[in-house]
Amino acid sequence: MIAHARPEALGQWCASHRRSRRGRRPTGGDSDGGPGPVRGEVEHPDLVAVGNPNFATLVRLADTLGVSVSALMEGPAEDRVRVVSADAVMPLWAGERGSEARLMLTTTGPAPVEVWRWRLQPGEEYPSHPHQAGVVETVSVTSGRMTLVVDGAEHPVHAGQTAAFDGDAPHTYRGAGDEPCHLIMTVHLPPGPAAAG
């Protein structure tokens, strides 16, 4: 569940962005460039009053629109340098055993990078759907250990190690060992339509 999404602002942003993309080739979903059922979850005023879209919905929507998750959640950066404290950022995903994922920030520019802080409890996992082609992820374990599963193959990653992989295959992050795993994840997004020409 998303702890800090602003549903009305999110719905307005999505509707505006979708309208601005008309005439461009969509990456999936309906002819307006957004996935119809997913779009309805965030744009329809009656639905946003019921509750926030879930984390998986935001990731699918961001992939379809070709933007970062944080672009859906926050406005443009105002300062040249941004310093973000983990305490100031609410988790976008929380597991039943205490695992969590916090989107710290997203860099600006033609190929944005999302920077995430994760805590995975032993045995708890987060399965992720494949992202759009060109997305590359890294996971750097700062303490504990995890199992990274990419396209069904398991890869142990321990404290002090970093793994990189193409995000266009199904992947799962799973806590391993007897203590929580802390990691920094980056999601490198491909250049958007404006940068591509």
Side-chain angles (χ1 to χ4, degrees):
M1 180 59 82
I2 298 170
H4 74 298
R6 296 168 298 186
E8 290 145 359
L10 177 61
Q12 291 170 354
W13 186 97
C14 288
S16 172
H17 188 73
R18 180 176 50 79
R19 284 190 297 271
S20 73
R21 290 175 56 93
R22 282 195 176 138
R24 296 184 188 162
R25 183 177 174 198
T27 57
D30 67 15
S31 61
D32 290 338
V38 172
R39 186 179 38 135
E41 272 187 59
V42 294
E43 284 186 30
H44 196 277
D46 295 333
L47 292 177
V48 295
V50 174
N52 291 341
N54 68 28
F55 181 50
T57 299
L58 284 181
V59 172
R60 288 193 321 266
L61 182 61
D63 278 350
T64 299
L65 294 174
V67 299
S68 67
V69 172
S70 63
L72 298 175
M73 306 297 292
E74 61 189 39
E78 296 178 11
D79 296 325
R80 187 173 183 92
V81 175
R82 289 181 288 162
V83 178
V84 181
S85 170
D87 296 341
V89 178
M90 297 298 292
L92 285 182
W93 171 75
E96 293 180 2
R97 299 182 196 168
S99 298
E100 65 177 29
R102 296 172 190 252
L103 176 57
M104 299 301 295
L105 59 83
T106 302
T107 62
T108 58
V113 177
E114 297 176 350
V115 179
W116 294 78
R117 293 177 78 88
W118 284 72
R119 179 180 67 225
L120 292 170
Q121 296 295 339
E124 192 160 36
E125 65 181 34
Y126 178 81
S128 180
H129 73 285
H131 302 301
Q132 63 179 308
V135 171
V136 175
E137 294 191 23
T138 70
V139 291
S140 297
V141 176
T142 58
S143 67
R145 56 191 172 122
M146 69 172 291
T147 301
L148 173 65
V149 183
V150 179
D151 211 13
E154 295 189 359
H155 306 274
V157 186
H158 301 269
Q161 294 183 322
T162 298
F165 62 97
D166 292 333
D168 60 356
H171 49 284
T172 299
Y173 321 106
R174 181 184 312 133
D178 299 325
E179 62 185 53
C181 174
H182 294 267
L183 63 104
I184 302 295
M185 178 180 74
T186 62
V187 180
H188 301 257
L189 304 170

